[in-house]
Amino acid sequence: MAKCYRSELVGAFGCPIDENPTGVMEEAAFAAKGLDYRYLTIKVEKGDLEDAMKAVRAFHMKGINITIPHKVAVLNYLDELSEAAGIIGAVNMVVNRDGKLYGENTDGKGYLKSLTDAGVSPAGKCITVLGAGGAARAISVECALAGVKKIYIANIEREQGEELTAMLKEKTGVEAEFLMWDHTLDVPDDTEILSNATSVGLYPHTDQKPNINYDTIRPDMVVTDVIFNDPNSLFLREAGARGAKTINGLGMLVNQGALNFTMWTGVEAPVDVMTDTLKREFDLK
Ligand code: NDP
């Protein structure tokens, strides 16, 4: 058989994109599995998404990650959507299935996997989500689809928080309540999982933490953070000091990358290799 000199292509479209480390993690995974795939980190500016999505088909790319500012706009250029991506209203990865583009959102699924990897099942539990942005939407929708009993959405801006709360009730049928977060927030008493889905604490602002009353965190709560750099965030350190079980954002990041890897290649992802690669990239032990 003739030798094939063509690599399969995947990658990411976004702007800004230069500091996105996903390619290093995915390339390490391809190498570990002996797959001839290349991950291209591509700058696509706001008005250029339509052309870029045409290129996915024209280049026979296997798929593409979608990041800021295209996660919502990309819906215009897809043939099919997963249930969760449709409810969330945003896509972070696309699979090219013989020229048909399928959109999925793996952020919330990566979050759920990081919970189950830590032995935590969200079904039947009450979760309080801090924030109402993209990560909060993905987390709360996947938790609702996974059968949580109740979701509190706390947000500093009323309109966005109320919109997410209403959407959760309407589209997933979960019990949901909005908490106006214009003061130091007491974590609701019935909370079993507390999830920081805000950007507070992200490097270089590692001395910052969400404005909550940390003494309302109980030892029987599970406390999670989307922040992956530094994974040992001040928020999680405060929660850990109150005896709570903590889960950092690295697991969510690796697990969504692992899901993307498998959806593109059909091969099980080498999660350990991906985790080690990211830790090295962030200079973590
Ligand atoms: P968005 O900008 O969409 O949302 C940010 C949220 O944080 C908004 O709800 C915003 O509230 C809230 N917020 C910002 N500052 C404050 C503050 N001082 N106090 C309270 N709330 C605040 O970003 P994303 O949702 O896309 O990302 C959020 C974080 O999650 C980022 O740090 C990102 O790196 C991380 N992330 C991690 C992933 C992982 O795999 N671990 C995956 C995806 C994201 P408002 O809108 O009202 O201002």
Side-chain angles (χ1 to χ4, degrees):
M1 206 166 85
K3 192 170 175 187
C4 178
Y5 292 95
R6 180 182 67 84
S7 302
E8 299 294 357
L9 298 179
V10 294
F13 290 161
C15 186
I17 191 93
D18 294 7
E19 280 93 32
N20 190 313
T22 309
V24 181
M25 173 174 75
E26 297 289 0
E27 290 264 345
F30 297 141
K33 289 287 179 172
L35 296 170
D36 187 10
Y37 273 61
R38 295 302 317 276
Y39 189 103
L40 307 175
T41 301
I42 302 171
K43 180 171 170 179
V44 174
E45 289 178 6
K46 211 163 187 170
D48 295 329
L49 184 63
E50 184 173 0
D51 288 343
M53 293 309 291
K54 281 184 186 157
V56 171
R57 284 195 180 91
F59 292 174
H60 297 271
M61 296 181 79
K62 286 283 185 185
I64 195 83
N65 276 136
I66 304 291
T67 185
I68 294 170
H70 305 306
K71 282 186 175 184
V72 176
V74 74
L75 267 67
N76 295 319
Y77 311 112
L78 301 176
D79 300 302
E80 222 186 313
L81 267 187
S82 76
E83 183 194 10
I87 298 173
I88 295 164
V91 156
N92 76 332
M93 70 92 65
V94 173
V95 187
N96 184 357
R97 294 179 173 161
D98 298 323
K100 290 243 182 295
L101 300 186
Y102 174 82
E104 173 62 283
N105 193 313
T106 50
D107 280 340
K109 290 179 173 67
Y111 176 79
L112 281 185
K113 181 78 171 41
S114 72
L115 288 186
T116 50
D117 283 352
V120 178
S121 164
K125 294 209 166 67
C126 173
I127 178 167
T128 296
V129 177
L130 305 177
R137 289 180 82 85
I139 286 171
S140 56
V141 166
E142 291 292 354
C143 283
L145 296 176
V148 297
K149 187 176 66 188
K150 179 167 185 183
I151 303 180
Y152 290 103
I153 299 291
N155 203 46
I156 52 175
E157 202 234 299
R158 178 180 290 278
E159 202 180 321
Q160 206 183 356
E162 283 187 339
E163 190 274 326
L164 173 56
T165 308
M167 182 276 275
L168 287 168
K169 285 199 266 200
E170 187 200 332
K171 297 205 171 151
T172 73
V174 76
E175 186 186 348
E177 186 177 328
F178 171 64
L179 304 173
M180 188 62 217
W181 188 11
D182 53 3
H183 56 287
T184 304
L185 186 83
D186 283 352
V187 179
D189 255 1
D190 49 348
T191 301
E192 293 165 282
I193 300 172
L194 172 64
S195 172
N196 176 35
T198 74
S199 43
V200 180
L202 182 65
Y203 182 86
H205 306 290
T206 50
D207 58 340
Q208 295 179 10
K209 58 186 178 185
N211 181 22
I212 65 167
N213 178 358
Y214 285 86
D215 288 330
T216 56
I217 293 179
R218 293 187 317 269
D220 61 331
M221 289 181 187
V222 175
V223 179
T224 72
D225 204 341
V226 288
I227 300 300
F228 50 81
N229 191 14
D230 177 3
N232 189 22
S233 63
L234 184 53
F235 173 69
L236 291 187
R237 296 205 300 278
E238 293 279 10
R242 269 81 178 175
K245 181 185 180 79
T246 60
I247 300 173
N248 70 40
L250 214 50
M252 175 176 173
L253 187 63
V254 171
N255 284 318
Q256 60 87 24
L259 287 166
N260 301 342
F261 178 98
T262 301
M263 289 182 71
W264 290 327
T265 65
V267 173
E268 194 180 333
V271 177
D272 291 348
V273 171
M274 297 171 87
T275 306
D276 290 347
T277 305
L278 264 191
K279 281 188 175 165
R280 258 200 315 280
E281 213 48 41
F282 293 139
D283 283 329
L284 302 169
K285 299 282 165 314

